Amino acid sequence: MWDVLKAHQAQAPRIVDLFEDGGRSEAFSITADGLYFDYAKTDITEACWEDLVRLAEQAEVAKWRDSMFAGEKINVTEDRAVLHTALRNLDGGPVEVDGEDVMPGVKEVLAKMGDFAEAVRSGEFKGQGGKITDVVNIGIGGSDLGPVMATIALKPYADGPRTHFISNVDGADLADTLDGLDPATTLVLVASKTFTTQETMMNATSVRDWMAKSVSDPAAQFAAISTNLEATAAFGIPAERVFGFEDWVGGRYSMWGPIGLSIMLAIGTNDFNDFLRGAQAMDQHFVTADLSQNMPIALALVGIWHHQIHGHATRAVLPYEQRLLRFPAYLQQMEMESNGKSVTRDGKEVSQTVGPIVWGEPGTNGQHAFYQLIHQGKQVVPCEFMVGAEGHEPELAHHHKAILANCLAQSEALLLGRSYEVAKERMAAAGHEGEALEAHAMQRVFAGNRPSTTLVYQKLTPFVLGQIVALYEHRVFVEGVILGINSYDQWGVELGKELANKLLPAVEVDADLSEVHPATSAIISKINALR
């Protein structure tokens, strides 16, 4: 099927020509629970789309999907189920792992989270200086990126304590985050499943030291998201303030459960449940919709078409929504850690590049930064626009009209471009002639025929954010199944961790560097000379 798709690509028409029959947008769009996904501005023809769907059928995407939702251990390298979907299965039936229904435990933990969050928000749970005013979440990777992204995205719904996040082991992150906070009214969440993550535990210890300067019992204002009750107890955190989750929830897919406690503290249990219900709605669509009209599958197949077939190396995610500021960074981890692989599920080398480089910024900021390359650079960058029909500030509706116009204009410009003839006519009207006319005209040519998709939603609510995140989660899953890789392990992060632990003693002043590789010891020597 790959060769068939390559043949389609070799004969692909200009995208704009595909709109001549008038039915393109309707045929190449999908609506699900208020979300609208348009992929008409790609060079995928009807025949090509049919073969892309056949590719998904041949890869048995539906079978793997059903196995995931059923709790089968599709994470084969770690012998684990993949069940972040169970965390938002609020209205569904039993989900079994090793013959045991996990849903009672999921709902018990969710209720425990809700009780604690409401106690903090109401003032029933206090700091040693009174009602909690600030929450500091200490985590890294999946224990940070999701909650950071979601709390920013859902700011209009945040009526609880202010939320702050520390992730980088760089002391500057810790110092800048704590600056101005009152230790006596600050709650600290330590998010580490094992309670051994090097960066997280170093930051947690330093924050505890900071708090100890102001309160008599710093651990009394700590809670943990962890399964290591022995280690959390040793840290001083009692079991009633420890929230655990199972090994079938991967870090980058974990904010639906206890890792999302900071989100729940910010927006409350009702809105957090709406967030879960949005994801659940996308789960149900993914499970029930026909492959050809299935939004996550369509998003995945478009990604396969652009990266594996066309060979476009990167993918730009461009939310025209300032509060989705951190969504591209969140997707970087989700997609690049999940599918940045070179080995198949059965341990064989993959035959092609697998994961594109994912990047982006919210519009219109990006337009004044990197859109120059997107429009006129030699490399093609498929763009994924997303925009809400409405904003949250009715008094600033004219601003939202501007953001809508800019979003639509950018995707149209990528589609249509500007010919040399039109550019030459404009420059001639501006008074240029001869060689100068040709040079000025060439500078203003846009090739066009550059692909994009557009995701439209009514307004960025907790429900809609849940839908969007689940959509991209399932997109990653589908791409991984088609490419034959395991999207749910991350062995690529291990080597650097091991070497960092090994090199920690070596960066001490006057350390013995005889056992350090010369490529590294030379740099350490330079660092020591500067200290």
Side-chain angles (χ1 to χ4, degrees):
M1 188 54 71
W2 294 105
D3 290 340
V4 172
L5 292 169
K6 282 287 188 182
H8 281 297
Q9 185 263 329
Q11 302 172 17
R14 284 186 64 83
I15 301 170
V16 70
D17 294 340
L18 294 170
F19 286 84
E20 291 179 354
D21 65 3
R24 173 75 179 174
S25 293
E26 183 177 356
F28 286 79
S29 63
I30 298 173
T31 301
D33 297 295
L35 281 189
Y36 173 77
F37 175 61
D38 179 294
Y39 59 105
K41 292 191 285 293
T42 67
D43 60 4
I44 299 173
T45 64
E46 290 185 10
C48 176
W49 180 247
E50 291 174 1
D51 284 330
L52 281 166
V53 173
R54 288 192 188 97
L55 178 70
E57 291 171 344
Q58 290 180 2
E60 298 184 307
V61 166
K63 174 186 172 184
W64 282 91
R65 174 198 64 198
D66 295 345
S67 295
M68 176 176 71
F69 277 88
E72 296 180 21
K73 296 181 179 180
I74 65 167
N75 179 352
V76 293
T77 62
E78 296 178 302
D79 192 33
R80 294 176 180 173
V82 176
L83 276 179
H84 48 279
T85 55
L87 299 179
R88 61 228 191 188
N89 182 37
L90 300 184
D91 304 316
V95 179
E96 292 190 354
V97 176
D98 293 328
E100 179 181 351
D101 182 11
V102 303
M103 289 310 304
V106 167
K107 292 178 179 179
E108 180 183 347
V109 172
L110 183 61
K112 181 181 177 182
M113 289 170 58
D115 290 343
F116 180 65
E118 292 309 315
V120 171
R121 287 164 55 85
S122 69
E124 179 185 345
F125 177 93
K126 292 180 172 63
Q128 288 155 81
K131 186 176 181 180
I132 295 295
T133 58
D134 296 271
V135 174
V136 175
N137 185 91
I138 304 174
I140 197 164
S143 300
D144 171 77
L145 284 165
V148 169
M149 179 276 295
T151 52
I152 295 173
L154 300 178
K155 182 69 185 301
Y157 302 87
D159 55 2
R162 296 181 295 265
T163 52
H164 314 269
F165 297 86
I166 298 172
S167 57
N168 201 328
V169 76
D170 186 342
D173 190 15
L174 186 147
D176 291 349
T177 302
L178 298 182
D179 185 30
L181 300 187
D182 180 355
T185 59
T186 297
L187 171 68
V188 182
L189 308 179
V190 184
S192 171
K193 182 184 286 188
T194 62
F195 222 67
T196 58
T197 309
Q198 183 194 64
E199 301 96 329
T200 299
M201 297 317 301
M202 181 176 288
N203 281 328
T205 301
S206 295
V207 172
R208 185 177 60 182
D209 293 343
W210 165 80
M211 190 173 282
K213 296 174 183 177
S214 301
V215 300
S216 59
D217 184 6
Q221 289 175 215
F222 274 69
I225 296 101
S226 178
T227 57
N228 191 341
L229 290 175
E230 183 177 343
T232 54
F235 195 87
I237 305 173
E240 62 265 23
R241 292 203 306 276
V242 179
F243 305 85
F245 56 102
E246 303 295 334
D247 64 7
W248 34 258
V249 179
R252 56 195 174 277
Y253 300 93
S254 62
M255 67 173 164
W256 313 105
I259 291 295
L261 182 57
S262 57
I263 309 171
M264 184 183 280
L265 285 161
I267 67 175
T269 55
N270 289 337
D271 283 330
F272 187 81
N273 284 339
D274 281 346
F275 175 56
L276 299 184
R277 289 190 188 283
Q280 179 183 240
M282 182 55 65
D283 292 344
Q284 292 169 347
H285 167 77
F286 181 45
V287 167
T288 60
D290 183 80
L291 265 62
S292 65
Q293 289 297 310
N294 193 302
M295 196 178 289
I297 290 175
L299 189 60
L301 292 176
V302 171
I304 293 283
W305 173 253
H306 286 150
H307 185 59
Q308 277 73 28
I309 306 302
H310 267 287
H312 303 319
T314 78
R315 172 189 298 157
V317 179
L318 307 170
Y320 275 67
E321 178 92 49
Q322 179 62 23
R323 291 189 177 107
L324 287 176
L325 171 70
R326 296 293 289 165
F327 190 65
Y330 173 71
L331 288 187
Q332 283 176 353
Q333 188 202 21
M334 184 194 292
E335 298 201 28
M336 296 171 70
E337 189 168 272
S338 295
N339 287 350
K341 309 290 173 63
S342 59
V343 178
T344 62
R345 285 186 297 265
D346 54 1
K348 297 178 181 177
E349 187 173 353
V350 297
S351 58
Q352 56 190 319
T353 59
V354 174
I357 297 167
V358 179
W359 57 287
E361 282 285 329
T364 56
N365 294 23
Q367 293 175 198
H368 294 267
F370 52 77
Y371 276 49
Q372 168 64 41
L373 180 146
I374 289 175
H375 284 290
Q376 288 189 313
K378 293 293 288 183
Q379 64 272 60
V380 174
V381 180
C383 294
E384 297 181 0
F385 295 96
M386 54 181 66
V387 68
E390 301 176 22
H392 281 279
E393 294 76 27
E395 71 280 9
L396 298 174
H398 58 297
H399 283 260
H400 196 74
K401 290 176 183 176
I403 208 79
L404 282 168
N406 273 275
C407 179
L408 299 173
Q410 291 300 322
S411 65
E412 187 170 300
L414 290 168
L415 170 69
L416 300 179
R418 179 190 290 154
S419 69
Y420 172 74
E421 289 73 24
V422 170
K424 186 174 181 181
E425 183 179 331
R426 289 191 175 194
M427 291 301 97
H432 297 289
E433 56 186 28
E435 291 184 0
L437 171 60
E438 294 182 7
H440 279 284
M442 285 298 295
Q443 295 290 344
R444 290 159 176 81
V445 170
F446 291 73
N449 199 43
R450 303 208 165 185
S452 69
T453 63
T454 304
L455 183 70
V456 179
Y457 47 90
Q458 182 180 358
K459 185 190 289 188
L460 188 60
T461 64
F463 185 91
V464 165
L465 182 65
Q467 287 179 291
I468 293 172
V469 174
L471 168 64
Y472 273 86
E473 286 180 347
H474 295 321
R475 183 252 196 99
V476 168
F477 165 79
V478 173
E479 288 183 341
V481 170
I482 290 174
L483 297 167
I485 60 175
N486 179 10
S487 300
Y488 299 102
D489 61 14
Q490 53 280 330
W491 301 112
V493 306
E494 297 300 322
L495 180 58
K497 286 183 181 179
E498 293 173 12
L499 291 177
N501 287 327
K502 179 180 177 182
L503 287 171
L504 195 57
V507 297
E508 295 286 346
V509 176
D510 299 326
D512 180 8
L513 302 181
S514 61
E515 299 298 320
V516 178
H517 192 281
T520 303
S521 63
I523 300 173
I524 293 175
S525 296
K526 291 296 182 182
I527 290 171
N528 285 337
L530 294 169
R531 291 198 288 187

